[in-house]
Amino acid sequence: MGSGLLESQQVSAQRSDWSTTLPPAQIGDIPDIVIRRLPVYVRTLKTLCDGQVGSASSEQLAEMLGVTAAQIRRDLSYFGKFGKQGKGYDTRLLVEAISHILKLDRQWPVALAGLGNLGRAIANYRGFSPSSFQIAALFDRNPVHIGQQVGDLEILPIGELPGFMRHEGIHIGIIATPKVHAQETAELMVAGGVQAILNYAPVILKVPEGVTVREIDPVSALQSMTYYIDEA
Amino acid sequence: MGSGLLESQQVSAQRSDWSTTLPPAQIGDIPDIVIRRLPVYVRTLKTLCDGQVGSASSEQLAEMLGVTAAQIRRDLSYFGKFGKQGKGYDTRLLVEAISHILKLDRQWPVALAGLGNLGRAIANYRGFSPSSFQIAALFDRNPVHIGQQVGDLEILPIGELPGFMRHEGIHIGIIATPKVHAQETAELMVAGGVQAILNYAPVILKVPEGVTVREIDPVSALQSMTYYIDEA
DNA sequence: CCATGTGAATGTTTTCACAGCT
DNA sequence: AGCTGTGAAAACATTCACATGG
């Protein structure tokens, strides 16, 4: 897997020579592109569950997801056999299986750095908690912000971030700082033992191996779509 | 190019059999993955320009971007020859060239639908205008929101969206509605002649060919990173 | 029959490596 | 000497198509 731009920086393969007896799915690396599709599979399967749809074929899922049935079957095959021939997939079972693979069957605490407009919107967003994430600490550099209450959390000085993350066992960080501070914030998170960073700042972060970064970059998304717009 | 999940739905190739005399770059399709990298190239080149760095080699750019030099050279080669052997790329020239390719050398009006917390944060975001986008109209379904002022725009009833977009020649839409209304909002935008949709709702939109969709999905991004987190 | 899981084929993207220009 | 632009190779990802099993 590549590192950087639109590929996400990734942990290195942890294949060791002695692991020759593990099942295939665990020997080879699973492509990151597959991992990135799984959350959407889970989301769709959950709506089926909620709609009392107990099972679905790869064909039906493919239709809902806008992908091919073969791709869904191939993606799942990296992890095991979840379907029943002639029947399809049990939606509830598959939600549980993928959730387990992605480690979503627990709640993850998250540290959020940067509480300007964007950071506050993120802090107040109600969509994270039902999705296995709980914002557990807020950090800012600006003395005006420090000490303020956002939701039921107090904004702490950024200098306390590494100690706090390490002490609380927080492995996920969200960066919503101005771009000039994004890299140093990432470094503080790394010092605190971060393993996953969701980066809202329009900057390519340099992080060590073992830290995954995903970019949230609406401006770039818009800027790439204009290429296809036809007519003034 | 695939359609759907993590690939973005795309316009179909407009290759016609009679176009055999066009230069190579215009004959074959340019991969969408390349198009999606260009905005980040522009952003980086702009910071170089602003820092009075007049030229840069693919090697230097690669280092800043976290990609390989070969990839940058290959990506640019789809569009022409922008470098000077032995010297590298003129940063200002390349910014202008890529901006022109992406049609960023103009201002694009954008229609925003959904003015809950998220939509208001988007409406107030100062980062779009300097990046070629201007939020030009706001729409909501909720009568409580309709008529309210956000920034210097009034929230209009969603029913007026198609006519407004068509009348004003707006080709870009942002969906920030609750997920239950995302698909119907997309359809209104399609009725209004939309060609590019930035979708913040956690839903796979069904749109006709010729409409590009990109997802902004921080929850999925987080959910895919937990796979790599090692240790509880 | 129906639909999975998967080898094999195909298609796409990245990287290598170097000829050629400045 | 330094660095681009690009064929050719390699790596990666998707799709086909079918044997297999409920």
Side-chain angles (χ1 to χ4, degrees):
Chain A
M1 187 173 54
S3 152
L5 207 49
L6 302 182
E7 262 291 339
S8 294
Q9 291 155 78
Q10 277 302 339
V11 293
S12 59
Q14 291 181 305
R15 162 118 72 124
S16 18
D17 295 338
W18 45 264
S19 68
T20 23
T21 54
L22 290 173
Q26 320 249 345
I27 293 184
D29 275 12
I30 291 154
D32 183 61
I33 185 86
V34 172
I35 299 299
R36 274 156 36 215
R37 281 192 288 259
L38 296 184
V40 191
Y41 293 178
V42 174
R43 198 176 70 197
T44 302
L45 286 161
K46 273 186 175 155
T47 68
L48 286 173
C49 271
D50 294 351
Q52 311 300 322
V53 180
S55 77
S57 68
S58 57
E59 201 63 66
Q60 293 172 298
L61 291 172
E63 155 63 19
M64 300 182 71
L65 290 159
V67 298
T68 65
Q71 180 163 81
I72 291 174
R73 296 201 301 275
R74 171 74 66 202
D75 283 355
L76 295 176
S77 78
Y78 283 105
F79 304 97
K81 302 182 180 196
F82 303 101
K84 294 218 191 311
Q85 278 135 328
K87 192 71 199 308
Y89 300 90
D90 180 299
T91 53
R92 186 166 306 276
L93 239 56
L94 195 49
V95 166
E96 275 163 24
I98 303 178
S99 295
H100 181 72
I101 291 163
L102 293 176
K103 310 200 187 94
L104 300 176
D105 46 5
R106 50 161 290 189
Q107 203 69 7
W108 294 90
V110 175
L112 169 61
L115 285 129
N117 283 336
L118 174 59
R120 282 163 206 261
I122 294 168
N124 290 320
Y125 179 54
R126 309 278 95 193
F128 288 124
S129 337
S131 311
S132 304
F133 303 95
Q134 155 147 27
I135 297 193
L138 308 177
F139 299 93
D140 203 293
R141 170 179 315 271
N142 186 337
V144 172
H145 290 167
I146 293 167
Q148 286 179 358
Q149 204 78 11
V150 174
D152 51 2
L153 293 172
E154 185 187 334
I155 301 176
L156 305 176
I158 191 82
E160 294 179 16
L161 187 147
F164 194 99
M165 284 188 75
R166 194 164 292 284
H167 187 262
E168 301 288 321
I170 300 177
H171 298 296
I172 304 175
I174 300 181
I175 294 180
T177 66
K179 62 171 178 294
V180 286
H181 294 126
Q183 179 61 41
E184 45 184 327
T185 302
E187 283 159 19
L188 290 171
M189 288 181 174
V190 169
V194 84
Q195 292 185 52
I197 295 176
L198 189 67
N199 179 32
Y200 283 81
V203 165
I204 300 298
L205 300 176
K206 297 290 196 325
V207 296
E209 283 225 337
V211 179
T212 309
V213 178
R214 307 247 193 250
E215 312 291 333
I216 299 295
D217 190 347
V219 167
S220 291
L222 284 171
Q223 290 183 328
S224 66
M225 288 194 289
T226 48
Y227 175 79
Y228 298 102
I229 296 181
D230 138 21
E231 186 264 295
Chain B
M1 188 172 53
S3 153
L5 206 48
L6 303 182
E7 263 292 339
S8 293
Q9 292 154 77
Q10 276 302 339
V11 292
S12 58
Q14 292 182 303
R15 163 121 71 125
S16 18
D17 295 341
W18 45 265
S19 67
T20 23
T21 53
L22 291 173
Q26 321 250 346
I27 294 184
D29 276 12
I30 291 155
D32 183 62
I33 185 84
V34 171
I35 300 298
R36 273 153 42 212
R37 281 191 288 259
L38 296 184
V40 190
Y41 293 178
V42 175
R43 199 176 68 197
T44 302
L45 287 160
K46 273 186 174 154
T47 68
L48 286 174
C49 272
D50 294 351
Q52 310 301 322
V53 180
S55 76
S57 67
S58 57
E59 201 63 65
Q60 294 173 297
L61 291 171
E63 155 62 19
M64 300 183 70
L65 290 160
V67 299
T68 65
Q71 179 162 81
I72 292 175
R73 295 202 302 275
R74 171 75 66 202
D75 284 354
L76 295 176
S77 78
Y78 283 104
F79 304 97
K81 302 181 180 197
F82 303 101
K84 294 218 192 312
Q85 280 132 328
K87 191 70 199 309
Y89 300 90
D90 180 297
T91 53
R92 186 166 309 277
L93 239 57
L94 195 48
V95 165
E96 275 164 23
I98 303 178
S99 296
H100 182 73
I101 291 163
L102 293 176
K103 310 199 187 95
L104 300 176
D105 48 5
R106 49 162 290 189
Q107 202 69 7
W108 295 90
V110 176
L112 169 60
L115 285 129
N117 282 335
L118 174 60
R120 282 163 205 261
I122 294 168
N124 290 319
Y125 178 54
R126 310 277 96 193
F128 288 124
S129 336
S131 311
S132 304
F133 303 95
Q134 155 147 28
I135 297 193
L138 308 176
F139 299 93
D140 202 293
R141 170 180 314 272
N142 186 338
V144 173
H145 291 167
I146 293 166
Q148 286 179 359
Q149 205 78 8
V150 175
D152 50 2
L153 293 172
E154 184 187 334
I155 302 176
L156 305 176
I158 191 82
E160 293 179 16
L161 187 147
F164 194 99
M165 285 188 73
R166 194 165 292 284
H167 187 262
E168 301 288 321
I170 301 177
H171 298 296
I172 304 176
I174 300 181
I175 294 180
T177 65
K179 62 172 179 292
V180 287
H181 293 125
Q183 179 60 40
E184 47 185 324
T185 302
E187 284 160 18
L188 290 171
M189 288 181 173
V190 168
V194 83
Q195 291 184 54
I197 295 176
L198 189 66
N199 177 33
Y200 282 82
V203 166
I204 300 298
L205 299 176
K206 297 289 198 321
V207 297
E209 282 225 337
V211 179
T212 309
V213 178
R214 307 246 193 251
E215 312 290 334
I216 299 294
D217 190 348
V219 166
S220 290
L222 284 171
Q223 290 183 329
S224 66
M225 289 194 288
T226 48
Y227 175 77
Y228 298 102
I229 297 181
D230 139 20
E231 184 265 293

